[in-house]
Every structure is written in C-alpha cells, then in structure tokens.
C-alpha cells in the first residue's frame, strides 16, 4: 500500500470516512449499544473452540482498534468510522487486502438505524471503493451479505455491484455458519468512479419521483 493511502478521510457532503481512533470509544459504544438488537443478526461471532482448546473471547474496544490499526499499517486493512453531519454513525472496514496478482479486498459495514434510508451507507461504500481503486491501487472489491439481510443487499444493488452467487456456510454470524451472497466490482466497471455513478442514480431517481408527483397532481 502506498503511504498516502492511509490514513485518509474520503468525504462527500455530510458523509465522511476517517480512521477509527481510541478516543472514539464512547461514541462508538453508544451507537453500537443503541443498535444492538438491529445489528445482532448480522454481526460476526466466534465459533466454538476445537476440543481441548481454550474458549475465545471478543476483544475489548481498545484491543479491536489496536488490531485494526496494526493491520492498516501493514497494508492489509482500512478501518474507518462513518461520520454523518459530524457525528459517528457507523463503521466500514476494507479487509482481506491482497496484493500481487490479485489486488483485491472486501468491505464490511454497519450503520446507525437512526440514519438508515438517507443514503449514508451507499455513499460510504462508494467513497471506500473509489479510494481503494484510485488511491490504494486495488483492482477488485467484494461485499458478502447474508441473503436475509435485505437492507444491506439494497446498498450494493443501488450501487450496481455485480452478483456472483452464493457461498454456503461462509462466515460465522449470530452464532452459526451462515450462507452469504457475493457481490463484486472491478475497477474497469466504474471508470467514472462509483461515487459519480451513485450521484447520477440518485438524480435520476429524484427526477422520476418528481415526474410521478406531477402526474398525480394533474389527475
């Protein structure tokens, strides 16, 4: 990874991605606690240990941040928090970064339910993808989502990610091995940038809504 690529703060209007910090602990915990029931069905869990092995424990916030930043400094991860209108509202991580002949990574994310539906998450993913393709030098980004997670699937559908099928029992989520759908993009598929394409999609949707409203008023 080139040194200018991390840390970085991609931004678009009210939405900012910035490196996660130890001092985010209070805000991060507050948002995560308030969204516990909403997030639990989609969160990664630790599988049972092998016979005779000690049980694994979830890391503390400080342990998590130190691990994420060490991985970022090693060029294997980009851990961001999402800010909306100056307030921490979620987290987005580009993980599994692989170089050599692959040059790929995968994105995971969560967002405060209080701001869902405002375009925060699609904008955040678009910012991350453009950063990975244009500054970091990756060629492919994928997102793996449980089939039941309709809100998360809508994010990648809005952004035009390509569906690549099902990975059975792919990740340990909410206490069990869960199937995941795979969605991906390569740099060649968004030469204009994913954020620009997302803005165009939103403009066209707004124009269509205006036309529909005009039609209703003329009845």
């Amino acid at each position: 990874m080139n040194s200018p690529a991390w840390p970085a703060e991609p931004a678009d209007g009210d939405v900012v991605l910035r490196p996660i910090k130890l001092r985010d602990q209070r805000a991060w915990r507050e948002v995560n606690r308030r969204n516990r029931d909403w997030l639990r069905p989609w969160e990664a869990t630790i599988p049972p240990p092998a016979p005779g092995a000690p049980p694994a424990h979830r890391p503390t916030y400080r342990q998590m941040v130190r691990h994420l930043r060490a991985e970022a400094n090693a060029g294997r991860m980009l851990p961001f928090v999402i800010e909306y209108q100056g307030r921490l509202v979620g987290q987005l991580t580009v993980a599994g970064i692989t170089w050599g002949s692959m040059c790929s990574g995968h994105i995971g994310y969560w967002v405060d339910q209080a701001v869902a539906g405002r375009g925060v998450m699609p904008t955040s993913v678009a910012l991350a993808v453009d950063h990975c393709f244009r500054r970091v030098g990756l060629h492919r980004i994928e997102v793996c989502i449980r089939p039941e997670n309709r809100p998360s699937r809508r994010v990648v559908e809005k952004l035009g990610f390509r569906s690549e099928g099902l990975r059975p029992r792919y990740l340990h989520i909410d206490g069990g091995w869960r199937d995941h759908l795979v969605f991906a993009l390569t740099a060649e598929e968004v030469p204009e940038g994913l954020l620009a394409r997302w803005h165009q999609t939103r403009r066209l949707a707004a124009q269509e809504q205006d036309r529909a409203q005009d039609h209703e008023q003329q009845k």
Side-chain angles (χ1 to χ4, degrees), residues 44-57 171-178:
T45 46
I46 300 173
H57 299 284
L171 288 174
H172 202 271
I173 302 288
D174 192 30
W177 294 104
R178 313 295 184 180

Side-chain angles (χ1 to χ4, degrees), residues 41-184:
W42 323 118
E43 282 194 335
T45 46
I46 300 173
H57 299 284
R58 291 182 67 88
T60 66
Y61 177 84
R62 296 179 70 85
Q63 289 171 336
M64 177 190 73
V65 171
R66 285 171 175 154
H67 169 73
L68 292 175
R69 293 181 70 83
E71 288 294 289
N73 291 332
R76 294 187 290 264
M77 188 177 287
L78 295 171
F80 296 106
V81 293
I82 303 166
E83 288 189 346
Y84 177 64
Q85 297 181 345
R87 182 169 63 89
L88 191 154
V89 296
Q91 187 172 351
L92 181 151
T93 302
V94 185
I97 294 177
T98 304
W99 298 101
S101 57
M102 183 170 284
C103 290
S104 74
H106 56 81
I107 289 178
Y109 49 81
W110 62 266
V111 72
D112 189 344
Q113 189 177 14
V115 301
R118 303 186 194 181
V120 174
M121 203 66 254
T123 300
S124 299
V125 173
L127 285 168
V129 169
D130 284 352
H131 180 70
C132 286
F133 286 165
R134 295 180 169 191
R135 291 197 62 191
V136 179
L138 297 183
H139 173 253
R140 169 188 163 90
I141 291 291
E142 70 178 32
V143 182
C144 297
I145 302 170
R146 285 187 61 181
E148 304 89 346
N149 192 348
R150 185 60 185 165
S152 193
R153 288 175 60 185
R154 284 291 297 141
V155 170
V156 293
E157 290 165 0
K158 288 176 181 179
L159 293 173
F161 273 72
R162 174 173 28 83
S163 175
E164 292 190 339
L166 182 74
R167 289 182 181 169
R169 298 170 297 281
Y170 177 61
L171 288 174
H172 202 271
I173 302 288
D174 192 30
W177 294 104
R178 313 295 184 180
D179 296 349
H180 280 66
L181 295 170
V182 184
F183 300 87

